[in-house]
Amino acid sequence: MTRIAARPAGRRGQRLTYLVKRLEMAERARMEEVLRPLGVTLHQYTALSILEAREGLSSAQLARRHVVTPQAMHQLIATMERDRLIERRPDEANRRILRAWLTEHGVRLLKECHRVVDDVEERMLSSLTPEEAVAFGSALERCLESLTVPPGGADRDVAPPA
C-alpha cells in the first residue's frame, strides 16, 4: 500500500488510533454496564460468545481466541462452570483434555446478553446511516485483517466478534 498523502484524522485532528482506542474504551464501559445486571462480566460474555460459535474448545484454545493468558482462562472457566454456564467433558481422543460446552442455562443467558449488547451496538451506530454502518463494519474488518494476518499467511487465532 502506498503512503497516504494526508494522514486521515478525526474532526479535531485526532489520530485514528486514538479514536479507535477511545471507541473501544467507551464500548467496553457500556457493555459492562448492560451485562452487570445479568450477572455476567465482559470476559464471560466474550468466552460464551466464542463457545457459541465453536463449542468443544479446550481451555488453551479458548484462551488464544479470547486473547488472555491460560491462567486467566482457567479462572474464568472455573467461574463459568461453577455458575453452570458451561460444562467440561473429556476429549474422546485424549481424556486429559477437557473441552467446554455451553449448558442450557448458558445458552439462555447468552441470548439475553446478546439482546442488551445489540442495544449498545445500535446506540453506537445511531448517528450513521445504514450504508455508513455497513461501510464502517467492513472497514474495521479490513483494518483488523491488515494487522492480524501475516503477509501471504493464514489468519492468526483471533477471537470472533462478541
Side-chain angles (χ1 to χ4, degrees), residues 5 19 35 43 45 51 70 89 110 112 122 126 136 148 156 159:
L19 292 172
L35 291 170
H43 283 294
Y45 175 65
L51 286 172
R89 303 178 207 148
L110 184 57
E112 184 65 17
E122 285 179 26
S126 65
F136 179 64
T148 58
R156 292 183 189 156

Side-chain angles (χ1 to χ4, degrees), residues 6 39 78 92 101 130 133 137:
E92 292 179 13
W101 303 85

